[in-house]
Amino acid sequence: RGLRISSGVLSALLLSLLIIQYENAKPHIPLLGRLPNSTVYRDMKQYSEAAEYPGLAICRIDASLYFCNAQYIREMLEKYVNESEKRMNVKVSYLIVDISPAGYIDSTAIFNFHEIWKHFSLRGITLCFCGPSIKLMQAITKSKLIELISFDNVFSSEHHAVSVCRGRLAEKEQAASAIHNEDIVSTDPDNIDTESTLGLSDKNVAKVSFMLDVSAGD
């Protein structure tokens, strides 16, 4: 009887370990949206009223960052960026990753984020972190991952990250609009100097007139 109890306890223990291993390998990584009239961001699958912003993809990794979940995290980030671009019909410029739940990051996960940063940089997407603990920031800084991401792209909260990134997008749009307007002004027929376009400055016009007068006199 005692042996049967021990076997049952052992089986339960092994099952628990398998569940923990599975959850570590495939952690919960929700795509986040902002709740109306708040600075709170929640899982968009659970909160239909949560709103996302064009040009931004926001998610949260609800686990520590280990070798066993590195590949899965990379796949999920790629999936969310692609889905956001398709759903919003706008290119994602900023990928905001909330890592506040993570209590630990190992060397494999750090290397993985190096590769993630390179991959998204080639697509013109800036990787941002928000909510890292002091322990995580120490590891990120020591590994020199921060030299790629930059302190300018590490934020205290999801809302802080969203506010800054939306401001940057607005500045880029204003700059692009100003350049576009300058191009329109420069090609507007009403703003074109005909004499300058033909190469006829005041001096050239006077010279041509003089030559015509001389020719007429001959």
Side-chain angles (χ1 to χ4, degrees):
R1 184 176 179 182
L3 182 60
R4 290 180 181 177
I5 294 175
S6 298
S7 298
V9 171
L10 181 60
S11 297
L13 178 61
L14 289 174
L15 179 60
S16 297
L17 290 174
L18 288 174
I19 292 173
I20 292 172
Q21 181 65 21
Y22 177 80
E23 290 178 346
N24 284 333
K26 292 189 174 183
H28 183 228
I29 306 177
L31 183 67
L32 305 179
R34 182 181 177 182
L35 297 183
N37 304 315
S38 75
T39 58
V40 177
Y41 294 76
R42 290 291 183 263
D43 187 345
M44 293 184 62
K45 288 185 178 180
Q46 298 180 8
Y47 295 83
S48 59
E49 69 273 26
E52 58 185 325
Y53 293 102
L56 307 181
I58 314 161
C59 66
R60 186 183 66 243
I61 302 175
D62 290 337
S64 288
L65 311 171
Y66 296 98
F67 69 93
C68 61
N69 59 27
Q71 183 60 34
Y72 179 74
I73 289 172
R74 183 172 180 174
E75 291 171 357
M76 291 301 293
L77 296 183
E78 178 78 14
K79 175 185 175 182
Y80 284 154
V81 166
N82 293 339
E83 288 180 351
S84 292
E85 290 185 335
K86 184 177 181 180
R87 184 167 52 252
M88 303 294 288
N89 197 29
V90 175
K91 179 186 176 300
V92 168
S93 297
Y94 293 94
L95 171 59
I96 300 170
V97 182
D98 183 352
I99 55 174
S100 59
Y104 176 76
I105 183 169
D106 69 8
S107 58
T108 302
I110 287 174
F111 175 78
N112 186 49
F113 273 111
H114 273 83
E115 297 303 306
I116 290 172
W117 180 88
K118 292 177 184 177
H119 171 71
F120 285 117
S121 290
L122 291 175
R123 292 180 58 176
I125 299 172
T126 300
L127 175 64
C128 303
F129 283 155
C130 63
S133 64
I134 294 176
K135 185 177 181 180
L136 252 64
M137 276 305 302
Q138 289 174 341
I140 292 170
T141 303
K142 185 177 180 180
S143 68
K144 297 185 178 181
L145 174 59
I146 195 64
E147 293 181 6
L148 297 179
I149 295 177
S150 169
F151 283 106
D152 290 338
N153 295 317
V154 179
F155 303 95
S156 59
S157 67
E158 296 151 351
H159 189 63
H160 182 202
V162 169
S163 298
V164 172
C165 292
R166 289 187 70 199
R168 292 174 183 173
L169 285 175
E171 289 176 359
K172 289 180 181 179
E173 290 175 1
Q174 290 176 359
S177 178
I179 293 173
H180 179 67
N181 291 336
E182 288 178 1
D183 290 340
I184 292 176
V185 170
S186 64
T187 57
D188 189 340
D190 293 335
N191 295 314
I192 296 177
D193 185 341
T194 305
E195 290 185 352
S196 297
T197 303
L198 296 174
L200 297 177
S201 63
D202 292 340
K203 291 182 179 180
N204 288 333
V205 171
K207 183 176 180 181
V208 171
S209 299
F210 174 75
M211 292 175 65
L212 291 174
D213 291 341
V214 171
S215 297
D218 293 343

